[in-house]
Amino acid sequence: MLQINTFQYNPADVDCNRCAKYGGKEQGCTAKTCPWLAKGVAGYEEAIRETFPHDAHLDARLRIVVRHFTGSLFLDPSHEQRMEYMKAAQGHRPKRNTPAYYAAMYLLTADEDLCRRTKGCFCKHGIEFDKADLRNVAPHGFTLFSAARDIYTDSSGTMVSDLANTEVVDTLAFSLIVNALLVARYGCAVLKITDREGKA
């Protein structure tokens, strides 16, 4: 006889301190992808808290991002449509389609103008940022482009300390970069988060 599992997780069940992949305060989460994100249990706030180290300046900006979470990591429906179109157009290549690849794609499709300027960067081997047309690009678009390149190449251009500086990264760009860093850590499963806090 077929049995349907109706067990409901609560926040205590998915507390990072109880997870086998949690390495304590020094190491934090050691998992490449959070199993609770895939189950739709962990919330936006938990994902952020586990991704970013404690920093007094950064914490203030992160609290604003969490408070203004709309139920989607995408800027708007058009952003999601552009990313889904790009994913479909590029197809799936296991060695290329890493979380960092999708994080960069998330940022490069956030803005229609930036998406148009960078669509030629995507190729069968990855993302070739030198193919972007950045002539007269808006500062916001350049910030997203730079962050996408840094996340994809794992360089130190956009460090956590830079994110805390409001003069370097505006609030909207900050929010998008934070979301992209979640994608880089947890993969596309994080894009399915719709709740600010974990489900009770």
Side-chain angles (χ1 to χ4, degrees), residues 107-118:
L107 287 174
L108 297 177
T109 57
D111 177 271
E112 186 174 359
D113 179 60
L114 183 61
C115 185
R116 179 182 54 78
R117 291 171 178 273
T118 60

Side-chain angles (χ1 to χ4, degrees), residues 2 7 32 49 73 88 94 103 109 118 122 126 136 138 151 156:
L2 179 65
F7 178 77
K32 289 185 178 179
R49 193 169 53 237
L73 274 73
T109 57
T118 60
F122 291 89
N136 301 314
I151 292 170
S156 59

Side-chain angles (χ1 to χ4, degrees), residues 28-148:
C29 180
T30 61
K32 289 185 178 179
T33 59
C34 176
W36 306 118
L37 289 176
K39 293 182 182 295
V41 179
Y44 186 65
E45 186 173 6
E46 289 90 347
I48 285 181
R49 193 169 53 237
E50 287 304 312
T51 300
F52 296 93
H54 175 69
D55 178 282
H57 300 294
L58 188 61
D59 286 349
R61 295 200 83 183
L62 289 172
R63 280 194 297 273
I64 293 171
V65 170
V66 170
R67 190 166 59 244
H68 290 99
F69 179 63
T70 62
S72 173
L73 274 73
F74 289 101
L75 182 59
D76 53 34
S78 296
H79 178 195
E80 183 173 9
Q81 290 168 3
R82 284 190 294 271
M83 181 163 175
E84 289 303 316
Y85 175 82
M86 187 66 74
K87 284 167 64 177
Q90 295 304 313
H92 183 71
R93 292 176 179 267
K95 290 185 178 179
R96 178 196 66 185
N97 293 28
T98 63
Y101 172 83
Y102 286 123
M105 182 184 288
Y106 170 88
L107 287 174
L108 297 177
T109 57
D111 177 271
E112 186 174 359
D113 179 60
L114 183 61
C115 185
R116 179 182 54 78
R117 291 171 178 273
T118 60
K119 65 181 178 182
C121 297
F122 291 89
C123 63
K124 63 181 181 178
H125 301 297
I127 306 175
E128 298 179 1
F129 289 90
D130 58 340
K131 291 187 176 180
D133 176 12
L134 298 177
R135 290 171 296 179
N136 301 314
V137 68
H140 176 76
F142 186 76
T143 298
L144 296 182
F145 174 84
S146 299

